Amino acid sequence: MTTGPLSSRQLANMQRLFATPFADIYPLYVTKVQRKNRSESELRTVLSWLTGLDGTQLDLAISSGESLQEFFERVHVHPNSVLITGMVCGVKVQDVEDPLMRNIRYMDKLVDELAQGKAIENILR
């Protein structure tokens, strides 16, 4: 996904992900972090840092049914998100060329770090 043209299958998968409602992703994140003894409150802190949304706005994003694409079109991704590095799904997040996919991977990486037990202070770069 980082170099060369994308196959039609890769493009279709990306479009399907972009159209996925944020409300479908959020409970998966909650389950992931809670399995590792982290709280939903900590998850919301991490998501708020990345997106600039407060708790009420985050609840609205969950209840609205908006897609990941619509979600990331209206939020202001934290400027320090460029400091997020590492692998998600076998891909280095810093190498993802598509801006929307990169933002989704940033979000995935932050949730992974939370689930892995990393301190909130270190996650919020």
Short mmCIF file of all heavy atoms in Angstrom, two decimals, residues 17-61:
data_model
loop_
_atom_site.label_atom_id
_atom_site.label_comp_id
_atom_site.label_asym_id
_atom_site.label_seq_id
_atom_site.Cartn_x
_atom_site.Cartn_y
_atom_site.Cartn_z
N LEU A 17 -13.37 -0.12 3.75
CA LEU A 17 -12.96 0.37 5.07
C LEU A 17 -13.39 1.82 5.25
O LEU A 17 -13.93 2.19 6.30
CB LEU A 17 -11.45 0.24 5.25
CG LEU A 17 -10.88 0.80 6.55
CD1 LEU A 17 -11.46 0.06 7.77
CD2 LEU A 17 -9.37 0.72 6.54
N PHE A 18 -13.17 2.66 4.25
CA PHE A 18 -13.53 4.07 4.35
C PHE A 18 -15.03 4.26 4.59
O PHE A 18 -15.44 5.20 5.26
CB PHE A 18 -13.13 4.83 3.10
CG PHE A 18 -11.65 4.89 2.84
CD1 PHE A 18 -11.18 5.31 1.61
CD2 PHE A 18 -10.71 4.52 3.80
CE1 PHE A 18 -9.81 5.40 1.35
CE2 PHE A 18 -9.35 4.58 3.55
CZ PHE A 18 -8.90 5.02 2.32
N ALA A 19 -15.85 3.36 4.04
CA ALA A 19 -17.30 3.45 4.18
C ALA A 19 -17.81 2.83 5.48
O ALA A 19 -18.98 3.00 5.83
CB ALA A 19 -17.97 2.76 2.99
N THR A 20 -16.95 2.15 6.22
CA THR A 20 -17.35 1.51 7.47
C THR A 20 -17.74 2.58 8.49
O THR A 20 -17.00 3.55 8.69
CB THR A 20 -16.20 0.66 8.03
OG1 THR A 20 -15.85 -0.33 7.08
CG2 THR A 20 -16.57 0.01 9.34
N PRO A 21 -18.88 2.41 9.13
CA PRO A 21 -19.27 3.39 10.14
C PRO A 21 -18.31 3.37 11.34
O PRO A 21 -17.88 2.31 11.79
CB PRO A 21 -20.67 2.93 10.58
CG PRO A 21 -21.17 2.10 9.44
CD PRO A 21 -19.95 1.44 8.86
N PHE A 22 -18.00 4.56 11.83
CA PHE A 22 -17.17 4.68 13.03
C PHE A 22 -17.82 3.90 14.18
O PHE A 22 -17.13 3.27 15.00
CB PHE A 22 -16.98 6.15 13.41
CG PHE A 22 -16.18 6.35 14.66
CD1 PHE A 22 -14.82 6.07 14.68
CD2 PHE A 22 -16.78 6.80 15.82
CE1 PHE A 22 -14.07 6.24 15.84
CE2 PHE A 22 -16.04 6.98 16.98
CZ PHE A 22 -14.68 6.70 16.99
N ALA A 23 -19.15 3.89 14.22
CA ALA A 23 -19.89 3.16 15.26
C ALA A 23 -19.63 1.66 15.22
O ALA A 23 -19.79 0.98 16.24
CB ALA A 23 -21.39 3.43 15.12
N ASP A 24 -19.23 1.13 14.07
CA ASP A 24 -18.90 -0.31 13.98
C ASP A 24 -17.49 -0.59 14.50
O ASP A 24 -17.22 -1.68 14.99
CB ASP A 24 -19.00 -0.80 12.54
CG ASP A 24 -20.43 -0.89 12.03
OD1 ASP A 24 -21.37 -0.61 12.80
OD2 ASP A 24 -20.59 -1.22 10.84
N ILE A 25 -16.62 0.39 14.38
CA ILE A 25 -15.22 0.22 14.80
C ILE A 25 -15.07 0.44 16.30
O ILE A 25 -14.32 -0.27 16.97
CB ILE A 25 -14.32 1.22 14.02
CG1 ILE A 25 -14.41 1.00 12.51
CG2 ILE A 25 -12.88 1.18 14.52
CD1 ILE A 25 -13.93 -0.33 12.03
N TYR A 26 -15.78 1.42 16.83
CA TYR A 26 -15.62 1.81 18.23
C TYR A 26 -15.79 0.64 19.21
O TYR A 26 -14.93 0.45 20.08
CB TYR A 26 -16.56 2.98 18.56
CG TYR A 26 -16.39 3.47 19.98
CD1 TYR A 26 -15.32 4.29 20.32
CD2 TYR A 26 -17.28 3.10 20.98
CE1 TYR A 26 -15.14 4.73 21.61
CE2 TYR A 26 -17.11 3.53 22.28
CZ TYR A 26 -16.04 4.34 22.59
OH TYR A 26 -15.86 4.77 23.88
N PRO A 27 -16.86 -0.15 19.12
CA PRO A 27 -16.99 -1.25 20.08
C PRO A 27 -15.87 -2.29 19.98
O PRO A 27 -15.51 -2.94 20.97
CB PRO A 27 -18.35 -1.89 19.77
CG PRO A 27 -18.90 -1.20 18.60
CD PRO A 27 -18.01 -0.06 18.23
N LEU A 28 -15.29 -2.44 18.80
CA LEU A 28 -14.15 -3.35 18.64
C LEU A 28 -12.96 -2.82 19.42
O LEU A 28 -12.22 -3.59 20.05
CB LEU A 28 -13.81 -3.52 17.16
CG LEU A 28 -14.91 -4.09 16.27
CD1 LEU A 28 -14.48 -4.08 14.81
CD2 LEU A 28 -15.32 -5.48 16.72
N TYR A 29 -12.76 -1.51 19.37
CA TYR A 29 -11.68 -0.88 20.13
C TYR A 29 -11.92 -1.06 21.64
O TYR A 29 -11.00 -1.36 22.39
CB TYR A 29 -11.57 0.60 19.81
CG TYR A 29 -10.96 0.94 18.47
CD1 TYR A 29 -11.21 2.17 17.89
CD2 TYR A 29 -10.11 0.08 17.80
CE1 TYR A 29 -10.64 2.53 16.68
CE2 TYR A 29 -9.54 0.43 16.59
CZ TYR A 29 -9.80 1.66 16.03
OH TYR A 29 -9.23 2.01 14.84
N VAL A 30 -13.17 -0.84 22.07
CA VAL A 30 -13.51 -0.99 23.49
C VAL A 30 -13.19 -2.40 23.95
O VAL A 30 -12.53 -2.60 24.98
CB VAL A 30 -14.99 -0.63 23.76
CG1 VAL A 30 -15.38 -0.98 25.19
CG2 VAL A 30 -15.26 0.85 23.48
N THR A 31 -13.63 -3.38 23.20
CA THR A 31 -13.38 -4.78 23.55
C THR A 31 -11.89 -5.06 23.61
O THR A 31 -11.41 -5.72 24.54
CB THR A 31 -14.06 -5.71 22.52
OG1 THR A 31 -15.46 -5.47 22.55
CG2 THR A 31 -13.78 -7.17 22.83
N LYS A 32 -11.15 -4.57 22.65
CA LYS A 32 -9.71 -4.81 22.59
C LYS A 32 -9.00 -4.27 23.83
O LYS A 32 -8.19 -4.97 24.44
CB LYS A 32 -9.11 -4.18 21.33
CG LYS A 32 -7.63 -4.41 21.18
CD LYS A 32 -7.13 -3.87 19.86
CE LYS A 32 -5.73 -4.36 19.59
NZ LYS A 32 -5.33 -4.16 18.21
N VAL A 33 -9.29 -3.03 24.20
CA VAL A 33 -8.59 -2.44 25.33
C VAL A 33 -9.06 -3.04 26.65
O VAL A 33 -8.25 -3.24 27.56
CB VAL A 33 -8.65 -0.89 25.35
CG1 VAL A 33 -8.03 -0.31 24.09
CG2 VAL A 33 -10.04 -0.37 25.57
N GLN A 34 -10.33 -3.35 26.76
CA GLN A 34 -10.84 -3.93 28.00
C GLN A 34 -10.30 -5.35 28.23
O GLN A 34 -10.08 -5.74 29.38
CB GLN A 34 -12.37 -3.92 28.03
CG GLN A 34 -12.92 -2.53 28.23
CD GLN A 34 -14.43 -2.48 28.25
OE1 GLN A 34 -15.13 -3.37 27.76
NE2 GLN A 34 -14.97 -1.40 28.82
N ARG A 35 -10.08 -6.10 27.16
CA ARG A 35 -9.46 -7.43 27.29
C ARG A 35 -8.08 -7.34 27.91
O ARG A 35 -7.59 -8.29 28.52
CB ARG A 35 -9.33 -8.09 25.91
CG ARG A 35 -10.44 -9.02 25.54
CD ARG A 35 -10.07 -9.93 24.37
NE ARG A 35 -9.13 -9.37 23.43
CZ ARG A 35 -9.42 -8.94 22.20
NH1 ARG A 35 -10.66 -9.01 21.77
NH2 ARG A 35 -8.50 -8.46 21.41
N LYS A 36 -7.43 -6.20 27.73
CA LYS A 36 -6.07 -5.99 28.24
C LYS A 36 -6.09 -5.13 29.51
O LYS A 36 -5.10 -4.51 29.86
CB LYS A 36 -5.20 -5.32 27.17
CG LYS A 36 -5.07 -6.14 25.91
CD LYS A 36 -4.31 -7.41 26.18
CE LYS A 36 -4.07 -8.16 24.87
NZ LYS A 36 -3.06 -9.18 25.00
N ASN A 37 -7.25 -5.11 30.18
CA ASN A 37 -7.40 -4.39 31.45
C ASN A 37 -7.18 -2.88 31.35
O ASN A 37 -6.69 -2.25 32.28
CB ASN A 37 -6.50 -4.99 32.54
CG ASN A 37 -6.88 -6.42 32.84
OD1 ASN A 37 -8.05 -6.73 32.96
ND2 ASN A 37 -5.89 -7.29 32.93
N ARG A 38 -7.55 -2.32 30.21
CA ARG A 38 -7.57 -0.86 30.06
C ARG A 38 -9.03 -0.45 30.00
O ARG A 38 -9.92 -1.24 29.71
CB ARG A 38 -6.83 -0.42 28.79
CG ARG A 38 -5.37 -0.80 28.73
CD ARG A 38 -4.52 -0.33 29.90
NE ARG A 38 -4.28 1.09 29.96
CZ ARG A 38 -3.16 1.68 29.54
NH1 ARG A 38 -2.17 0.96 29.02
NH2 ARG A 38 -3.02 2.98 29.65
N SER A 39 -9.30 0.81 30.27
CA SER A 39 -10.69 1.26 30.37
C SER A 39 -11.17 1.98 29.10
O SER A 39 -10.36 2.49 28.32
CB SER A 39 -10.84 2.21 31.56
OG SER A 39 -10.18 3.43 31.30
N GLU A 40 -12.49 2.01 28.97
CA GLU A 40 -13.08 2.77 27.87
C GLU A 40 -12.75 4.25 28.02
O GLU A 40 -12.55 4.96 27.03
CB GLU A 40 -14.59 2.56 27.82
CG GLU A 40 -15.25 3.27 26.65
CD GLU A 40 -16.73 2.99 26.52
OE1 GLU A 40 -17.28 2.18 27.29
OE2 GLU A 40 -17.34 3.60 25.62
N SER A 41 -12.65 4.72 29.25
CA SER A 41 -12.28 6.11 29.50
C SER A 41 -10.89 6.41 28.94
O SER A 41 -10.67 7.47 28.33
CB SER A 41 -12.32 6.39 31.00
OG SER A 41 -11.84 7.68 31.27
N GLU A 42 -9.96 5.49 29.11
CA GLU A 42 -8.61 5.68 28.55
C GLU A 42 -8.66 5.69 27.03
O GLU A 42 -7.97 6.48 26.38
CB GLU A 42 -7.67 4.58 29.04
CG GLU A 42 -7.33 4.69 30.51
CD GLU A 42 -6.54 3.50 31.01
OE1 GLU A 42 -7.01 2.34 30.81
OE2 GLU A 42 -5.46 3.71 31.59
N LEU A 43 -9.48 4.80 26.46
CA LEU A 43 -9.66 4.77 25.00
C LEU A 43 -10.18 6.11 24.51
O LEU A 43 -9.67 6.68 23.54
CB LEU A 43 -10.62 3.65 24.60
CG LEU A 43 -11.06 3.63 23.14
CD1 LEU A 43 -9.88 3.37 22.22
CD2 LEU A 43 -12.15 2.59 22.94
N ARG A 44 -11.18 6.64 25.20
CA ARG A 44 -11.77 7.92 24.79
C ARG A 44 -10.75 9.05 24.91
O ARG A 44 -10.73 9.97 24.08
CB ARG A 44 -13.03 8.20 25.61
CG ARG A 44 -14.15 7.20 25.28
CD ARG A 44 -15.34 7.34 26.21
NE ARG A 44 -16.07 8.57 25.95
CZ ARG A 44 -17.04 8.70 25.05
NH1 ARG A 44 -17.40 7.67 24.31
NH2 ARG A 44 -17.66 9.85 24.89
N THR A 45 -9.88 8.98 25.90
CA THR A 45 -8.82 9.98 26.05
C THR A 45 -7.90 9.95 24.84
O THR A 45 -7.56 11.00 24.27
CB THR A 45 -8.01 9.73 27.34
OG1 THR A 45 -8.89 9.88 28.46
CG2 THR A 45 -6.84 10.68 27.46
N VAL A 46 -7.52 8.76 24.42
CA VAL A 46 -6.63 8.60 23.27
C VAL A 46 -7.32 9.08 21.99
O VAL A 46 -6.72 9.82 21.19
CB VAL A 46 -6.18 7.12 23.15
CG1 VAL A 46 -5.50 6.85 21.83
CG2 VAL A 46 -5.28 6.75 24.32
N LEU A 47 -8.58 8.69 21.80
CA LEU A 47 -9.31 9.11 20.59
C LEU A 47 -9.53 10.63 20.59
O LEU A 47 -9.44 11.26 19.53
CB LEU A 47 -10.64 8.37 20.49
CG LEU A 47 -10.55 6.86 20.26
CD1 LEU A 47 -11.94 6.24 20.25
CD2 LEU A 47 -9.80 6.54 18.98
N SER A 48 -9.79 11.19 21.75
CA SER A 48 -9.98 12.64 21.84
C SER A 48 -8.69 13.38 21.50
O SER A 48 -8.73 14.42 20.82
CB SER A 48 -10.45 13.04 23.24
OG SER A 48 -11.76 12.57 23.46
N TRP A 49 -7.57 12.87 21.97
CA TRP A 49 -6.29 13.49 21.64
C TRP A 49 -6.07 13.49 20.13
O TRP A 49 -5.72 14.51 19.54
CB TRP A 49 -5.14 12.75 22.33
CG TRP A 49 -3.80 13.29 21.94
CD1 TRP A 49 -3.15 14.35 22.49
CD2 TRP A 49 -2.96 12.81 20.87
NE1 TRP A 49 -1.95 14.56 21.84
CE2 TRP A 49 -1.80 13.64 20.85
CE3 TRP A 49 -3.05 11.78 19.94
CZ2 TRP A 49 -0.77 13.46 19.93
CZ3 TRP A 49 -2.02 11.60 19.03
CH2 TRP A 49 -0.89 12.43 19.03
N LEU A 50 -6.31 12.34 19.49
CA LEU A 50 -6.06 12.22 18.05
C LEU A 50 -6.99 13.12 17.24
O LEU A 50 -6.56 13.75 16.28
CB LEU A 50 -6.21 10.77 17.59
CG LEU A 50 -6.02 10.53 16.10
CD1 LEU A 50 -4.57 10.83 15.69
CD2 LEU A 50 -6.40 9.10 15.72
N THR A 51 -8.26 13.17 17.64
CA THR A 51 -9.27 13.81 16.79
C THR A 51 -9.67 15.22 17.22
O THR A 51 -10.31 15.93 16.45
CB THR A 51 -10.55 12.96 16.77
OG1 THR A 51 -11.09 12.91 18.10
CG2 THR A 51 -10.28 11.57 16.25
N GLY A 52 -9.36 15.59 18.44
CA GLY A 52 -9.79 16.88 18.95
C GLY A 52 -11.24 16.90 19.41
O GLY A 52 -11.76 17.96 19.78
N LEU A 53 -11.91 15.75 19.39
CA LEU A 53 -13.30 15.69 19.81
C LEU A 53 -13.39 15.53 21.33
O LEU A 53 -12.63 14.77 21.92
CB LEU A 53 -14.02 14.51 19.15
CG LEU A 53 -14.08 14.49 17.63
CD1 LEU A 53 -14.80 13.23 17.15
CD2 LEU A 53 -14.75 15.72 17.09
N ASP A 54 -14.37 16.23 21.94
CA ASP A 54 -14.61 16.01 23.36
C ASP A 54 -15.57 14.82 23.50
O ASP A 54 -15.99 14.23 22.49
CB ASP A 54 -15.15 17.27 24.04
CG ASP A 54 -16.52 17.72 23.53
OD1 ASP A 54 -17.29 16.89 22.98
OD2 ASP A 54 -16.84 18.91 23.68
N GLY A 55 -15.91 14.47 24.73
CA GLY A 55 -16.75 13.30 24.98
C GLY A 55 -18.10 13.36 24.28
O GLY A 55 -18.55 12.37 23.69
N THR A 56 -18.74 14.51 24.32
CA THR A 56 -20.05 14.67 23.67
C THR A 56 -19.93 14.51 22.16
O THR A 56 -20.76 13.84 21.52
CB THR A 56 -20.66 16.04 24.02
OG1 THR A 56 -20.78 16.14 25.44
CG2 THR A 56 -22.02 16.23 23.38
N GLN A 57 -18.90 15.12 21.59
CA GLN A 57 -18.69 15.02 20.14
C GLN A 57 -18.35 13.59 19.73
O GLN A 57 -18.78 13.13 18.67
CB GLN A 57 -17.58 15.98 19.71
CG GLN A 57 -17.94 17.44 19.87
CD GLN A 57 -16.74 18.35 19.76
OE1 GLN A 57 -15.64 18.01 20.21
NE2 GLN A 57 -16.94 19.51 19.16
N LEU A 58 -17.61 12.90 20.57
CA LEU A 58 -17.28 11.51 20.29
C LEU A 58 -18.55 10.65 20.33
O LEU A 58 -18.76 9.80 19.45
CB LEU A 58 -16.25 11.01 21.29
CG LEU A 58 -15.54 9.71 20.98
CD1 LEU A 58 -14.86 9.73 19.62
CD2 LEU A 58 -14.51 9.40 22.07
N ASP A 59 -19.41 10.90 21.31
CA ASP A 59 -20.69 10.19 21.38
C ASP A 59 -21.53 10.44 20.13
O ASP A 59 -22.17 9.53 19.60
CB ASP A 59 -21.48 10.60 22.62
CG ASP A 59 -20.87 10.08 23.91
OD1 ASP A 59 -20.12 9.08 23.87
OD2 ASP A 59 -21.15 10.68 24.97
N LEU A 60 -21.53 11.68 19.66
CA LEU A 60 -22.28 12.03 18.45
C LEU A 60 -21.72 11.28 17.24
O LEU A 60 -22.48 10.78 16.40
CB LEU A 60 -22.25 13.53 18.21
CG LEU A 60 -23.01 14.03 16.99
CD1 LEU A 60 -24.49 13.68 17.09
CD2 LEU A 60 -22.84 15.53 16.84
N ALA A 61 -20.40 11.19 17.15
CA ALA A 61 -19.78 10.46 16.04
C ALA A 61 -20.18 9.00 16.06
O ALA A 61 -20.40 8.39 15.02
CB ALA A 61 -18.26 10.60 16.10
#
